């Protein structure tokens, strides 16, 4: 297939291009680094000529510095996706794989011993300041047990970036219904690996820890380090995109719909685990747990990726310790 890859020069997009070429496909790059704007309809119309499918990775990522970033996130992630989908509709391109995110869920799934599945509200500044990081049952106030989140969980975005990622999915779902197209959203977990962007206020936690270690400083771990996450290697994410593109290309999924797939390693780790693994791999100072917090962060979010494994045959291959060692080696 001839596949347009937006964000093709980025951390994940460049790995997808490599995976598609290795699979015998013809990826066509589209990236702001090459002077191509995802909001430029004329540029999109030209890029879509002769294309069979689109792999949409272009986005402004990360939590952002403050609410002043909201217009940029909305313009790039929301309007940019709308322009792309409109151009696809006009060009007759009916196959889409979207870079989704687990941030659309907000807090993860929690179980109360007395009340079953519950959805805690946003954590308060007062609780976080006091070091009360774990969400509690809104009915009885007792501690909650975190569980894996399935794709059918309700969306509850907790920051501007999360809202724009949900908007992308909703736009893609409407596009699919309107055009009879087939869309997949791969809801990525915390992606890491060689080429991870660093030294930017929009970087993820792995990048921030790595940057500190390369400066000879201890990683500063917020809260108590017990935040549960799923760290998935960028090559595994690229492989998931290749598998999803093969499925939409073979018309193996229902047209007129968007299907979401959680895309994680399947292994739950804590932020403290990751900081420690990176410190070991870099031979640097041990992490320092600071108790600091960011109000937009969620406590635990780990999702069940069985649907992607069972329906499309994808499985994460890169071991956590080996992946962290590779990340440190390529960054040094």
């Amino acid at each position: 297939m001839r596949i347009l890859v937006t964000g093709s020069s980025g951390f994940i997009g460049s790995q997808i291009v490599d995976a598609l070429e290795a699979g015998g496909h013809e990826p066509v790059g589209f990236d702001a680094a090459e002077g191509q704007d995802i909001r430029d309809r004329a540029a999109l119309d030209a890029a879509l000529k002769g294309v069979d499918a689109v792999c949409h990775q272009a986005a402004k990522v990360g939590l952002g510095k403050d609410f002043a970033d909201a217009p940029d996130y909305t313009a790039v992630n929301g309007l940019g996706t709308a322009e792309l989908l409109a151009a696809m509709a006009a060009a007759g391109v009916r196959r889409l794989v979207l870079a989704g995110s687990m941030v659309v869920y907000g807090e993860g799934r929690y179980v109360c011993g007395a009340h079953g599945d519950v959805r805690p509200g946003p954590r308060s500044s007062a609780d976080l300041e006091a070091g009360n990081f774990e969400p509690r049952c809104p009915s009885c106030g007792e501690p909650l047990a975190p569980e894996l989140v399935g794709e059918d969980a309700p969306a509850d975005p907790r920051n501007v970036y999360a809202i724009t990622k949900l908007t992308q999915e909703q736009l893609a779902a409407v596009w699919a219904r309107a055009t009879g197209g087939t869309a997949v959203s791969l809801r990525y977990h915390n992606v890491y690996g060689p080429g991870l962007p660093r030294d930017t206020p929009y970087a993820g936690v792995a990048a921030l820890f790595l940057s500190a270690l390369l400066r000879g400083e201890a990683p500063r771990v917020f809260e108590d380090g017990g935040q549960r996450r799923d760290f998935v290697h960028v090559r595994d994410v690229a492989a998931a995109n290749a598998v999803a593109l093969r499925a939409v290309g073979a018309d193996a999924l229902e047209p007129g719909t968007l299907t979401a797939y959680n895309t994680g390693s399947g292994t739950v780790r804590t932020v403290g685990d990751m900081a420690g693994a990176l410190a070991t791999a870099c031979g640097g100072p041990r992490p320092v747990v600071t108790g600091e917090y960011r109000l937009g962060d969620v406590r635990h979010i780990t999702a069940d990726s069985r649907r992607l494994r069972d329906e499309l045959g994808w499985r994460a291959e890169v071991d956590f310790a080996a992946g962290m060692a590779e990340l440190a080696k390529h960054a040094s």
Side-chain angles (χ1 to χ4, degrees):
M1 287 193 296
R2 181 177 170 87
I3 301 166
L4 178 67
V5 182
T6 70
S8 56
S9 298
F11 168 48
I12 298 174
S14 60
Q15 293 276 353
I16 292 172
V17 168
D18 291 344
L20 293 176
E21 288 177 340
H25 298 290
E26 181 187 356
V28 178
F30 190 98
D31 197 279
E34 305 300 324
Q36 296 165 308
D37 189 334
I38 194 64
R39 293 163 291 182
D40 184 340
R41 178 59 184 271
L44 289 168
D45 288 341
L48 284 165
K49 291 180 179 177
V51 162
D52 301 300
V54 172
C55 183
H56 183 31
Q57 305 295 311
K60 187 173 178 66
V61 300
L63 184 60
K65 293 181 289 185
D66 54 42
F67 197 79
D69 289 326
D72 284 342
Y73 276 90
T74 303
V76 174
N77 298 355
L79 178 58
T81 298
E83 290 284 5
L84 172 64
L85 294 171
M88 290 174 63
V93 179
R94 298 291 183 262
R95 300 180 178 111
L96 171 70
V97 173
L98 171 68
S101 176
M102 53 81 185
V103 296
V104 301
Y105 297 119
E107 281 286 356
R109 176 176 168 238
Y110 292 89
V111 175
C112 172
H115 298 95
D117 280 10
V118 299
R119 293 197 56 81
R123 297 181 295 170
S124 70
S125 297
D127 279 344
L128 294 169
E129 195 67 34
N132 299 321
F133 302 122
E134 294 290 346
R136 292 181 173 270
C137 178
S139 298
C140 66
E142 289 300 308
L144 299 172
E147 301 286 347
L148 298 181
V149 180
E151 288 90 348
D152 58 350
D156 186 17
R158 300 286 176 97
N159 55 61
V160 172
Y161 171 65
I163 288 169
T164 65
K165 294 307 290 183
L166 180 59
T167 297
Q168 288 184 319
E169 282 196 3
Q170 292 171 330
L171 286 167
V174 173
W175 164 85
R177 288 195 298 271
T179 65
T182 305
V184 165
S185 178
L186 297 175
R187 291 175 174 169
Y188 302 158
H189 278 259
N190 295 75
V191 186
Y192 74 95
L196 184 70
R198 295 186 288 112
D199 301 318
T200 164
Y202 303 98
V205 66
L208 296 176
F209 291 164
L210 182 61
S211 294
L213 287 162
L214 293 177
R215 295 193 301 266
E217 301 170 3
R220 295 176 61 82
V221 180
F222 280 16
E223 301 187 19
D224 59 1
Q227 306 94 305
R228 289 161 55 105
R229 298 291 188 269
D230 184 328
F231 299 97
V232 60
H233 197 278
V234 65
R235 285 197 300 275
D236 285 329
V237 169
N241 276 272
V243 165
L245 284 161
R246 184 163 63 242
V248 299
D251 297 324
L253 300 172
E254 184 179 354
T257 63
L258 178 141
T259 305
Y261 291 102
N262 293 328
T263 308
S265 71
T267 303
V268 175
R269 306 279 180 179
T270 68
V271 171
D273 290 339
M274 190 266 289
L278 267 182
T280 298
C282 291
R286 303 306 301 168
V288 174
V289 176
T290 69
E292 297 172 88
Y293 64 88
R294 297 191 301 183
L295 195 58
D297 285 346
V298 298
R299 178 61 177 176
H300 304 300
I301 177 63
T302 52
D304 189 339
S305 298
R306 283 182 296 178
R307 177 185 289 180
L308 183 55
R309 295 195 298 269
D310 293 347
E311 294 186 8
L312 301 189
W314 171 87
R315 184 176 299 276
E317 301 289 345
V318 180
D319 172 76
F320 176 74
M324 289 294 165
E326 180 190 21
L327 173 59
K329 177 181 176 181
H330 281 265
S332 60

